[in-house]
Amino acid sequence: MDIRPIRPAAARLFPTAHRVTALAGPPARPAVQAVLDRAVADGGLPGVLAGIHAPGGRWYGTAGVADTATGRPRGAADHFRIGSITKTFVATVMLRLVAEHAVSLDDTVETWLPGLVTGGGHDGWRVTIRRLLNHTSGIFNYTNDPGALSVEPTYSPRRLVEIAMGHPASFAPGDGWEYSNTNYVLAGMIIEKAGRAPLAEQIAAHITEPLDLPGTYLPTGDDETLPAPHSRHYTALHDPSPDAVVHDITEMNTTPYWAAGAMVSTVDDLDRFLAALLGGKLLPHELRREMFTTVPTHDWIDGTRYGLGVTSLTLPGGTELWGMGGAIFGSWTYAYGDRDGSRVLSVNTNGDRTTGGGWDDPIAVFTDVLTAEFTRP
């Protein structure tokens, strides 16, 4: 992992807005573009990128920079890390294996990974795959132990689960809801057993190759790179202070996140994936119904309910959207659309904190972007 402080002079580039709007044809989105511009000029984000697929065509808008050292503007084709949107890909692969009768949502973790989930109130016999995918397992979230993730150079999935097993379970399986990255590490391990191939290969075979998503993949091994073109990723490492040092963390070992949040993509690929998923091109009807059966969330994102790797999000005005958000150091992303996938929007920031504009974090920026698009006349 390469963590470099950015030069103070580079930080002055943040308020500079650069627009790359629409390919010829699609209707203009002045309200969306205005939010992007304010996110940089007032919100202090280095750069922001949005892509929209709608019946009128594709639209792209950017503001700010991809690289604070050079001033290179964000581009519509930028690659970036998508964090927990990885979970939507993993859940989709799992459900496709269910469709092939390779696994069942009612199978237990103990059936597939014997002896791994045990101790401290954890019971692999009581945790089903469904409970992994909708975060009702009660399994401790290993990323809540940051100290354990700063010791080793790389982490195997089994080691991540072992970190979680060193803590008490949050609740008995099925008795609550809590977002836990451990759930999706376990899901990825089950996919590898049931599908008899590495998770990265199964994501490619089930999703990215059939849909022709050339910029989307799960890194393998300790690959720290991003393909060109890409934005630099800037993080304050959770330091909320006004004078926090901002670090360039673009080259990053993502083995601590794997099936929970390590994938790379682009806004165009995310839009195409989400449109296909919502539009019924990836799963049969009965499994789409399973995926979009939601449970209430707690102490998480306002207005959300959680399904199997997807969320429903109700905007302040009452509009309901479907998709997922993801955050990883220096890169925050939302991908949401109408229930039928007719209109989808993906948006990414290459910084993970806001410093003004009335926004507490990039999620608030994303909410304003979605509101500008999905509640317009």
Side-chain angles (χ1 to χ4, degrees):
M1 182 185 298
D2 187 2
I3 306 178
R4 301 191 300 273
I6 65 170
R7 301 192 304 274
R12 292 197 294 270
L13 291 170
F14 282 20
T16 304
H18 299 265
R19 298 187 185 187
V20 180
T21 53
L23 299 175
R29 256 84 174 183
V32 175
Q33 185 63 58
V35 178
L36 304 184
D37 290 343
R38 287 195 301 111
V40 174
D42 300 333
L45 290 167
V48 60
L49 161 65
I52 299 170
H53 284 206
R58 300 178 185 177
W59 181 92
Y60 305 91
T62 73
V65 297
D67 188 328
T68 61
T70 67
R72 175 172 58 87
R74 292 221 60 178
D78 281 355
H79 295 79
F80 47 85
R81 304 191 192 281
I82 65 173
S84 284
I85 300 177
T86 300
K87 293 178 173 69
T88 311
F89 285 84
V90 170
T92 301
V93 172
M94 183 72 83
L95 289 169
R96 287 176 65 88
L97 292 176
V98 171
E100 295 173 358
H101 305 290
V103 67
S104 166
L105 288 173
D106 295 320
D107 286 350
T108 67
V109 172
E110 185 67 21
T111 299
W112 286 98
L113 305 171
L116 187 58
V117 174
T118 186
H122 294 104
D123 184 355
W125 284 112
R126 296 185 60 195
V127 176
T128 63
I129 290 172
R130 182 182 285 102
R131 286 175 174 167
L132 294 178
L133 298 183
N134 68 9
H135 294 298
T136 61
S137 72
I139 294 174
F140 180 84
N141 181 9
Y142 71 88
T143 55
N144 286 343
D145 186 351
L149 295 177
S150 61
V151 177
E152 302 169 27
T154 61
Y155 288 80
S156 68
R158 179 171 288 272
R159 177 65 185 130
L160 299 177
V161 177
E162 289 172 349
I163 291 171
M165 294 302 104
H167 298 265
S170 298
F171 50 83
D175 284 356
W177 186 91
E178 184 175 87
Y179 196 87
S180 175
N181 288 309
T182 315
N183 289 327
Y184 275 78
V185 172
L186 289 163
M189 295 174 74
I190 292 171
I191 286 170
E192 292 199 328
K193 277 201 166 184
R196 300 181 180 181
L199 178 61
E201 292 181 12
Q202 294 195 62
I203 290 172
H206 284 283
I207 302 173
T208 62
E209 290 174 358
L211 294 181
D212 189 21
L213 309 180
T216 302
Y217 65 96
L218 177 68
T220 56
D222 57 359
D223 180 10
E224 299 185 356
T225 63
L226 282 173
H230 65 258
S231 56
R232 307 299 299 178
H233 288 15
Y234 301 104
T235 180
L237 298 176
H238 302 304
D239 184 348
S241 61
D243 58 349
V245 176
V246 177
H247 303 269
D248 182 331
I249 198 169
T250 310
E251 287 74 35
M252 178 182 178
N253 183 328
T254 57
T255 59
Y257 309 103
W258 193 53
M263 286 183 68
V264 172
S265 192
T266 66
V267 292
D268 199 51
D269 279 9
L270 288 177
D271 283 346
R272 291 166 64 191
F273 165 61
L274 188 58
L277 181 62
L278 295 173
K281 296 180 179 178
L282 289 171
L283 297 172
H285 175 74
E286 63 274 14
L287 290 177
R288 288 170 61 211
R289 185 174 63 249
E290 291 276 10
M291 175 173 255
F292 295 106
T293 297
T294 61
V295 295
T297 62
H298 305 290
D299 301 318
W300 201 51
I301 300 170
D302 290 344
T304 57
R305 292 177 62 91
Y306 207 95
L308 304 184
V310 297
T311 63
S312 67
L313 171 64
T314 302
L315 296 176
T319 300
E320 184 181 49
L321 303 175
W322 292 84
M324 187 60 183
I328 193 167
F329 293 109
S331 180
W332 285 43
T333 309
Y334 256 27
Y336 279 90
D338 293 331
R339 180 63 181 82
D340 63 359
S342 60
R343 181 166 39 151
V344 294
L345 182 155
S346 296
V347 56
N348 169 263
T349 68
N350 60 329
D352 55 18
R353 74 171 192 151
T354 54
T355 57
W359 289 302
D360 294 330
D361 55 40
I363 289 176
V365 175
F366 297 157
T367 300
D368 285 354
V369 171
L370 292 172
T371 299
E373 171 61 19
F374 287 94
T375 63
R376 67 191 183 96

